[in-house]
Amino acid sequence: MENFRHVEYTENDREIVRKGITEIARVLLGTDTEKKLSMLLCLDWFMDPYYGQDISTFHDELVDLLQTVIISPNDDNVIEDAISLLMDYEWPPFSIIEQNKDLIPNKFQDDIAYLLNMDSDIEVD
């Protein structure tokens, strides 16, 4: 049986995202794991095209920040959620991860290999 995690985000989390990458980084590079998990869940809402949120002004910096979260010492759930955001909404290359794969815990190496090679399964006609 999988461990159940309950994570929520608030309007305050949305406001942090709306303020931009500096404020997002303050949370994701901070020390509060619960705040990081809330922010990552909130970012899922912003990154999902279904919801029509415009993050174009800091999109590239956000992709770099998520990669930095993955290669940094973090709770496994934080790393897992950051990997999921990249898998769900982004596309390789992920140069920060490629250059720092050895910093990522072994338990995530299969996901990282998939993430870095997601574009290799595409057939071009």
Side-chain angles (χ1 to χ4, degrees):
M1 183 172 147
E2 281 188 47
N3 291 334
F4 176 75
R5 292 195 285 146
H6 179 79
V7 178
E8 294 180 352
Y9 66 89
T10 65
E11 185 58 35
N12 183 55
D13 293 310
R14 287 186 187 188
E15 286 305 314
I16 290 170
V17 174
R18 289 182 181 114
K19 288 178 183 177
I21 196 67
T22 302
E23 294 302 313
I24 299 167
R26 193 178 320 265
V27 173
L28 293 182
L29 300 177
T31 58
D32 189 325
T33 297
E34 294 305 315
K35 285 184 179 180
K36 290 179 186 187
L37 292 170
S38 295
M39 178 57 58
L40 291 165
L41 180 61
C42 184
L43 286 169
D44 184 74
W45 184 76
F46 276 90
M47 294 174 77
D48 189 330
Y50 176 83
Y51 297 105
Q53 300 302 305
D54 182 11
I55 58 170
S56 61
T57 58
F58 57 85
H59 172 267
D60 293 345
E61 292 92 344
L62 179 58
V63 172
D64 288 349
L65 178 58
L66 291 171
Q67 292 179 76
T68 300
V69 167
I70 293 166
I71 66 163
S72 300
N74 271 303
D75 180 90
D76 285 353
N77 290 324
V78 171
I79 295 170
E80 182 180 344
D81 288 358
I83 290 170
S84 292
L85 286 174
L86 292 179
M87 277 187 188
D88 291 347
Y89 303 117
E90 300 302 327
W91 210 247
F94 298 112
S95 58
I96 294 171
I97 291 173
E98 288 174 5
Q99 296 167 9
N100 297 283
K101 284 187 288 194
D102 57 322
L103 299 175
I104 303 167
N106 285 338
K107 70 187 299 180
F108 297 109
Q109 289 301 323
D110 288 345
D111 287 338
I112 294 302
Y114 176 79
L115 181 68
L116 295 176
N117 295 294
M118 288 191 306
D119 58 350
S120 65
D121 292 335
I122 296 175
E123 294 181 24
V124 179
D125 293 334

